[in-house]
Amino acid sequence: MTNNIVFSGIQPTGDMHIGNYFGAVVNYVRLQNTGAYRTIYCVVDLHAMTTPYDPATLRRNTEQMFIDLLACGLDPDKSIVFVQSMVPEHTELAWIFGCVCSYGDLTRQTQFKEKSEQLEGKQDAFISAGLFTYPVLQAADILLYHAANVPVGQDQKQHLELSRSIANRFNTQFGEYFPEPEMLATETPKILSLSEPTKKMSKSLGPKSYVGLFEDEKTVRSKVRSAVTDAGEASTPMGEGARNLLGLLRACGKHEQAAAFEEEYASGNRRYAPLKEAVADALVELTSDLRARRAEIGADRERVRRLMREGAEKARAIARATMKDVRRLTGLPGHE
Ligand code: TRP
């Protein structure tokens, strides 16, 4: 760790699910509350424009994601929480980084390959240049704040490597300036899809695959009830689905209950109905708390918009100072 600045970005994808929550947001809150870091969290609306989208939906989702992060425990007095597009320095630095990032490195990004292939299968397929340069903007997000620590999942490993190579090339060309950001890998439970428990929980696998973080009790219970487990025979190894449910129970903090089920299953009894019941109870407890907090925060839109402006102002103060240095180093005017 070369400094104690933490930065992470989250896409405004609409309603968060428990996979995002346990896999990322719980960790954001924990890092904030340790007090050991300077934590900066960003809703990356510009990244959400790289694939076809609807403007009204994007606007709604961005504000909702900001509210939801606060509902989950991000605290504007402890962290800088803001919306990417409200700090125009992100796109400014992205241009400059586009000129120190090699075309070859971008063509090797597997996320671009995967996403562009998915899009190609669709009617009126359109693959934007923005989708291609997505990781350059991500490097700008991180390095504008000199963040050396980036809490993200394994799927972002290659993007972070690219951020490091961008920082490196910049430093070589213009003088030592940016830290090389590292992945802040922390133990986060990997939550699998309820319907296809060999895959990561994701909305794209359909409504039965995930539990929304703000879903009502009835929906939560019915989704957990229909989760795939295994054949329930003690002679076969416990299925991924059943293990995923135990993991969920632990993620909710119900360690003793999980241990008790595990013991029972080891001794031969593989009835999953009580496990599902326990998981549903724990998730209902979590989601009803979060739903209440979300409603409370969302009820005062003036305050939400003020917090968005204040967050952006705090971020901008740092971003402006960085851009001043960058202009000076790269031979651009406007840094005096
Ligand atoms: N690409 C990240 C994701 O899909 C989101 C992101 C954008 C991000 N900018 C970032 C993550 C900067 C960490 C740091 O999850």
Side-chain angles (χ1 to χ4, degrees):
M1 182 167 75
T2 51
N3 64 36
N4 71 342
I5 304 167
V6 165
F7 184 98
S8 197
I10 188 163
Q11 286 219 27
T13 47
D15 291 349
M16 239 191 275
H17 57 66
I18 54 171
N20 315 125
Y21 178 73
F22 290 121
V25 182
V26 167
N27 197 29
Y28 293 178
V29 176
R30 199 183 54 77
L31 290 166
Q32 162 191 278
N33 292 341
T34 61
Y37 296 100
R38 176 98 179 90
T39 43
I40 307 175
Y41 299 114
C42 179
V43 181
V44 292
D45 55 346
L46 297 171
H47 279 111
M49 298 170 75
T50 54
T51 48
Y53 74 98
D54 166 56
T57 310
L58 177 62
R59 185 176 300 119
R60 194 168 356 98
N61 285 350
T62 300
E63 191 165 301
Q64 191 63 58
M65 183 53 86
F66 185 84
I67 292 169
D68 292 351
L69 288 174
L70 301 185
C72 291
L74 289 191
D75 176 348
D77 290 329
K78 294 185 185 158
S79 295
I80 300 180
V81 190
F82 73 106
V83 175
Q84 185 187 33
S85 66
M86 290 172 77
V87 180
E89 285 77 7
H90 286 249
T91 43
E92 194 181 350
L93 186 58
W95 176 261
I96 293 168
F97 279 177
C99 303
V100 291
C101 173
S102 88
Y103 174 77
D105 281 351
L106 275 182
T107 60
R108 282 184 286 276
Q109 294 290 309
T110 51
Q111 183 172 304
F112 173 75
K113 285 187 209 163
E114 280 166 23
K115 285 205 178 170
S116 55
E117 272 163 26
Q118 271 171 25
L119 287 169
E120 255 158 18
K122 293 195 177 155
Q123 241 192 348
D124 304 322
F126 174 73
I127 295 156
S128 71
L131 187 63
F132 186 61
T133 56
Y134 178 116
V136 177
L137 180 60
Q138 180 162 347
D141 296 341
I142 298 166
L143 292 170
L144 256 187
Y145 305 95
H146 299 269
N149 316 284
V150 186
V152 281
Q154 281 297 330
D155 62 327
Q156 295 297 310
K157 201 168 159 220
Q158 205 187 19
H159 284 163
L160 266 192
E161 269 160 27
L162 191 73
S163 295
R164 276 200 295 282
S165 103
I166 288 174
N168 200 294
R169 187 173 305 238
F170 185 98
N171 292 346
T172 307
Q173 213 166 319
F174 303 113
E176 206 51 43
Y177 182 66
F178 287 115
E180 289 186 25
E182 299 278 345
M183 202 161 136
L184 192 62
T186 26
E187 278 289 320
T188 49
K190 189 169 177 192
I191 309 295
L192 303 174
S193 155
L194 297 182
S195 52
E196 298 170 61
T198 52
K199 300 181 182 156
K200 195 171 143 182
M201 183 177 283
S202 159
K203 276 189 166 177
S204 60
L205 299 173
K208 287 205 159 183
S209 75
Y210 69 92
V211 173
L213 201 49
F214 302 97
E215 272 175 335
D216 61 45
E217 171 161 1
K218 207 167 141 239
T219 316
V220 173
R221 288 194 186 279
S222 104
K223 285 186 177 185
V224 175
R225 214 172 291 129
S226 68
V228 171
T229 49
D230 62 38
E233 287 155 25
S235 55
T236 58
M238 201 190 298
E240 295 281 358
R243 260 183 281 139
N244 189 40
L245 291 176
L246 284 169
L248 265 174
L249 202 54
R250 288 209 173 84
C252 292
K254 313 283 183 196
H255 296 275
E256 277 175 27
Q257 254 182 319
F261 279 116
E262 211 150 31
E263 214 170 287
E264 204 180 311
Y265 295 154
S267 70
N269 172 5
R270 288 270 189 86
R271 278 179 56 247
Y272 292 126
L275 171 62
K276 287 184 171 180
E277 185 77 20
V279 170
D281 286 345
L283 287 177
V284 164
E285 196 181 310
L286 173 77
T287 53
S288 47
D289 270 4
L290 288 172
R291 264 215 328 280
R293 295 204 18 93
R294 175 197 229 204
E296 186 190 319
I297 295 166
D300 190 349
R301 289 291 155 144
E302 295 237 334
R303 175 170 171 269
V304 169
R305 300 210 171 114
R306 177 171 57 76
L307 290 173
M308 271 165 78
R309 280 195 306 276
E310 288 173 359
E313 260 323 303
K314 285 185 207 161
R316 247 197 130 175
I318 304 170
R320 270 203 207 98
T322 302
M323 283 318 297
K324 221 173 186 182
D325 293 337
V326 168
R327 284 177 166 273
R328 180 171 42 76
L329 291 165
T330 55
L332 300 174
H335 53 78
E336 293 79 15

